[in-house]
Amino acid sequence: MYIDFRDERRALLFDLGDIASLPPRKLMRLSHVFVTHAHMDHFAGFDHLLRVVLGRKSEVVLFGGPEFIAQVEHKLRAYSWNVVQRYEVELTLHVHEIGSDGRRRLTRFSSRTGFTRTALEVFEFPDDVLHEETIFRVRGRFVDHGIPCLAYLIEEKARVKVDKDRLLALGLGTGSWLRELKQAIVTAAPDETPILMHWRDRQGEHAMTRTVGELRHLVLDVVPGQRIGYVTDLRYTESNVHTLAQLLTDVDLLFIESVFLAEDAAQAAKKNHLTAQQAGQIARGVRAKALVPFHFSPRYEGRETALIAQALTSWSGAASSTG
Ligand SMILES: [Zn+2]
Ligand SMILES: [Zn+2]
């Protein structure tokens, strides 16, 4: 799942499997990558990402579950780095490991030192917030997939709607200043707070400074932000269902694995995966407003629509019975 930020040259990525379909310019935008677990189909894209950003990007933050720091380190140690310290742009990987013991470990790997790791920082974290910024936060909880696997929720704090017509009428262009204005509105910054406006259009570069008070009329509305769930690789168990209810209740959009058809439920259980029907039941249970089934077993190649239909029927069918 790739989440692009409007008005910002940045994005988030959830899982790092086959990312060949993402062009380098999209990978260059990644600020944070959230890995659910280190099965190959969720982590084999690490090398590809590293190759694209090396020498061009200064940092990437990665999150993963138990053993994640060692897993990243093993990947880095698999290469020879005798010239990398000469690259003009230093790349630092900030690696967060979420333990199942309620502790987090953070270490950094820098290209300047041939990716040897820095001293480990260990800290407790009391709730499920893994990452927090002014405009959004990411939560994560462990589900059981035979191994611990992270289910994620991205939570936009508030959505500031800007009147694009008014913007154009004033001859203003969009740029990162819009993000600053939105952040100022969300954090209730005082009217005299200056916003350095900068944008580029066919006429060239433009820059000016206005205060939040002067720009406030561009804002149409402030509404509750969107919540998007990303859930993949888990068994259908009571405890997993309970964990997901705590994380995802009333989620706006839910990406959820639908690996097997219900008729192959025994196979799904054996492989620690959900059936499409179970995925739909979970989505219904958390009152997901929209559903995107994914992660289909290759055995259904050409029959993916059957998996999607089963997940959607199981989600919406029961939704209508509850009114
Ligand atoms: Zn998988
Ligand atoms: Zn897996």
Side-chain angles (χ1 to χ4, degrees), residues 36-42 145 147 149 232-234 257 271-273 295:
T36 55
H37 64 307
H39 277 156
M40 279 195 85
D41 54 330
H42 298 259
H145 174 49
I147 53 171
C149 177
T232 189
D233 292 56
L234 66 158
E257 73 157 26
K271 299 256 175 117
N272 300 313
H273 278 296
H295 204 325

Side-chain angles (χ1 to χ4, degrees), residues 293-307:
F294 75 106
H295 204 325
F296 310 131
S297 163
R299 69 160 65 188
Y300 305 106
E301 205 178 327
R303 290 196 290 147
E304 290 84 357
T305 48
L307 289 155

